[in-house]
């Protein structure tokens, strides 16, 4: 498995250089065709691992939102304490979580399309779908970073409120 994974990454390194859309060298075509089965196996492993990560992180941020952020804001309103920053932060976190879920679904669809391509006979199509999947995965990564930033900001806002009370 380790050798196959290394081979997969070497193959991806060969096809990583930025080329015009649809442009793929003969060497890259050969590498994709030759290592097609191993790449597909590895992509399936990535797909399973990413699905588990999404469930974990999605659940983690949902818990933060449902069990910490929202109840705190409700309690503040009940006690006639207004904090616009915390309310905006709650809205931002909810929006970021929806964006994360939407982008992850798009990423999983792109990955599924990539896996279904017969890379032995269609290396160009495989390469194009690989680029799409990479962009979609990058969007998911950025969404996760955004959520982490919002949660960090929320902790700061709560600490500032705590200092004022």
């Amino acid at each position: 498995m380790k050798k196959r994974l290394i081979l997969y990454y070497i193959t991806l390194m060969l096809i990583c250089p930025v080329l015009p859309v649809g442009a793929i060298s003969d060497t890259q075509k050969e590498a994709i065709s030759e290592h097609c089965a191993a790449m597909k196996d590895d992509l399936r492993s990535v797909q399973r691992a990413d699905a588990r990560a999404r469930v974990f992180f999605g659940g983690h941020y949902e818990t933060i939102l449902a069990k910490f952020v929202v109840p705190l804001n409700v309690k503040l309103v009940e006690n006639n304490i207004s904090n616009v920053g915390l309310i905006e932060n709650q809205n931002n976190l909810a929006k970021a979580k929806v964006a994360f879920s939407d982008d992850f679904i798009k990423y999983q669809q792109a990955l599924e399309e990539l896996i279904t391509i017969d890379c032995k006979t269609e290396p160009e199509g495989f390469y194009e779908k690989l680029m799409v999947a990479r962009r979609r995965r990058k969007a998911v990564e950025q969404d996760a970073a955004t959520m982490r930033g919002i949660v960090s900001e929320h902790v700061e806002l709560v600490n500032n409120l705590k200092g004022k009370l």
Side-chain angles (χ1 to χ4, degrees):
M1 174 72 174
K2 199 171 195 176
K3 287 180 184 178
R4 192 172 65 195
L5 191 58
I6 291 170
L7 184 62
Y8 168 69
Y9 287 120
I10 290 171
T11 303
L12 287 180
M13 295 285 220
L14 290 173
I15 60 177
C16 278
V18 179
L19 297 171
V21 176
I24 181 171
S25 72
D26 290 336
T27 306
Q28 292 168 322
K29 288 178 192 177
E30 282 180 36
I32 290 171
S33 295
E34 186 177 319
H35 304 292
C36 181
M39 288 189 301
K40 282 189 167 203
D41 287 343
D42 290 338
L43 286 169
R44 285 185 192 97
S45 295
V46 167
Q47 187 179 33
R48 284 189 298 274
D50 284 352
R52 284 191 298 269
R54 178 197 177 264
V55 169
F56 175 77
F57 289 117
H60 181 69
Y61 287 112
E62 181 61 38
T63 300
I64 290 171
L65 189 61
K67 293 191 177 189
F68 178 65
V69 174
V70 172
L72 175 63
N73 284 340
V74 168
K75 218 33 150 169
L76 290 173
V77 169
E78 287 174 354
N79 291 306
N80 294 324
I81 299 172
S82 177
N83 192 309
V84 177
L86 288 172
I87 293 169
E88 285 178 8
N89 194 272
Q90 175 184 333
N91 293 335
N92 292 340
L93 184 58
K95 287 176 190 174
K97 188 184 170 309
V98 168
F100 172 79
S101 295
D102 291 346
D103 285 343
F104 189 85
I105 289 168
K106 290 175 187 173
Y107 162 64
Q108 282 290 2
Q109 289 170 342
L111 194 55
E112 189 62 38
E113 288 175 16
L114 175 63
I115 291 171
T116 60
I117 291 177
D118 182 6
C119 44
K120 285 187 186 240
T121 60
E122 298 180 57
E124 296 94 349
F126 183 83
Y127 179 79
E128 288 174 19
K129 292 292 183 182
L130 177 63
M131 294 300 107
V132 170
R134 282 180 175 174
R135 285 191 300 273
R136 297 273 165 87
R137 191 166 202 237
K138 186 70 171 170
V140 171
E141 182 182 325
Q142 290 170 344
D143 291 340
T146 298
M147 286 193 298
R148 281 192 307 272
I150 293 170
V151 169
S152 295
E153 181 182 339
H154 192 80
V155 170
E156 288 178 29
L157 290 168
V158 169
N159 286 332
N160 290 341
L161 178 64
K162 189 170 108 176
K164 292 177 184 177
L165 297 179

